[in-house]
Amino acid sequence: MKKLMIAALAVASIAGAYAACTPGKDPVIEDAWVYTWKFTGKTTTGVLVSYTINPSGNCKPGGGGVEMCAIRVPTSLNIQGYTYKCLPCCGGFTELADDGEVFWTTKPQKELFEVTNAKKLFTEGLTIDFGHVIGKKAKDFELKGQFAAATSDSGENYDFTFAGLGKYDLKNTRFSSVSGNFAGEKINPHYLKYIAGVGCPDADYWVCDGSDYAGAPTDPTVAYGSWSAKLNSAASKKFLKNGTLIKVNVK
């Protein structure tokens, strides 16, 4: 229910803020950019374990004062989203999310990123370090950026760098698509199923000899893989015309 409320708030907020997406003054190009983003790869998540930490008790699922503990295991990562830019200037590639962004995870869990305000919907989010038109005929493109955001429920914070190459649309002065790789970290992985009276235990890791937990579950874990960004032509036209956004429903 909370996720559905967040999704509704996100759509209502951004629709109200960007409904005035109409042609503006020179040298602004009378256009709008809506890009579809995907980050797929690997990270870790938590699973409950049973393990003797000390002579006085066990670390395992259950009650009776026994501590709930989780350990990190490899898992798939999938982050998707959209960025909105109304009336972009030629070369304004660092402003891809200037008029809004919506990102969510489908793996290892289905969850929106945290809503902060109407202008910048989600915590930190996507930023572009640089975007350059390259190639002998100005039809290639390079892009580098950062993604830093927190999931709304489990509070897992992603922070990674992405870079890649793609194709540039010289006629419309915008890139068509870019893809590459990303790498960074997540703080911190959890056991993602809620346990009454406990919550979602942080996922720890072992000390080097496997004899005990490191006791530092808030230490970062890896996040890496491949990514892509593609112009969504239909959504761009609707956004320019009347501020219409792509519907997001994360259950």
Side-chain angles (χ1 to χ4, degrees), residues 2 6-7 9-10 101-105 111-118 120-125 147-158:
K2 179 179 177 183
I6 292 173
L9 174 61
E101 56 184 1
V102 180
F103 283 93
W104 65 95
T105 61
E111 187 173 349
L112 277 161
F113 286 91
E114 185 179 358
V115 174
T116 55
N117 55 60
K120 204 70 173 177
L121 288 178
F122 302 100
T123 303
E124 296 288 336
F147 184 86
T151 51
S152 56
D153 290 342
S154 61
E156 296 185 336
N157 294 263
Y158 289 88

Side-chain angles (χ1 to χ4, degrees), residues 103-248:
F103 283 93
W104 65 95
T105 61
T106 60
K107 295 179 182 180
Q109 78 276 27
K110 292 183 179 181
E111 187 173 349
L112 277 161
F113 286 91
E114 185 179 358
V115 174
T116 55
N117 55 60
K119 179 62 177 177
K120 204 70 173 177
L121 288 178
F122 302 100
T123 303
E124 296 288 336
L126 183 140
T127 57
I128 304 299
D129 296 330
F130 62 79
H132 299 150
V133 182
I134 60 174
K136 290 183 177 180
K137 297 183 179 180
K139 291 186 177 181
D140 296 299
F141 195 75
E142 62 177 359
L143 188 71
K144 176 180 178 289
Q146 312 292 324
F147 184 86
T151 51
S152 56
D153 290 342
S154 61
E156 296 185 336
N157 294 263
Y158 289 88
D159 188 354
F160 54 75
T161 299
F162 59 90
L165 296 169
K167 296 300 180 182
Y168 185 71
D169 182 349
L170 186 59
K171 179 180 178 181
N172 294 297
T173 64
R174 63 194 181 194
F175 71 88
S176 303
S177 64
V178 179
S179 61
N181 298 299
F182 71 91
E185 62 186 35
K186 174 174 71 173
I187 305 174
N188 55 311
H190 295 74
Y191 176 69
L192 293 171
K193 294 182 180 179
Y194 182 80
I195 303 172
V198 177
C200 299
D202 295 333
D204 210 338
Y205 55 93
W206 302 100
V207 295
C208 59
D209 61 0
S211 62
D212 203 348
Y213 293 110
T218 58
D219 278 0
T221 191
V222 299
Y224 68 93
S226 59
W227 69 276
S228 66
K230 296 181 179 180
L231 181 75
N232 190 321
S233 298
S236 297
K237 292 176 182 177
K238 291 180 179 179
F239 184 51
L240 176 64
K241 182 178 180 180
N242 53 25
T244 300
L245 304 173
I246 299 171
K247 291 183 179 180
V248 175

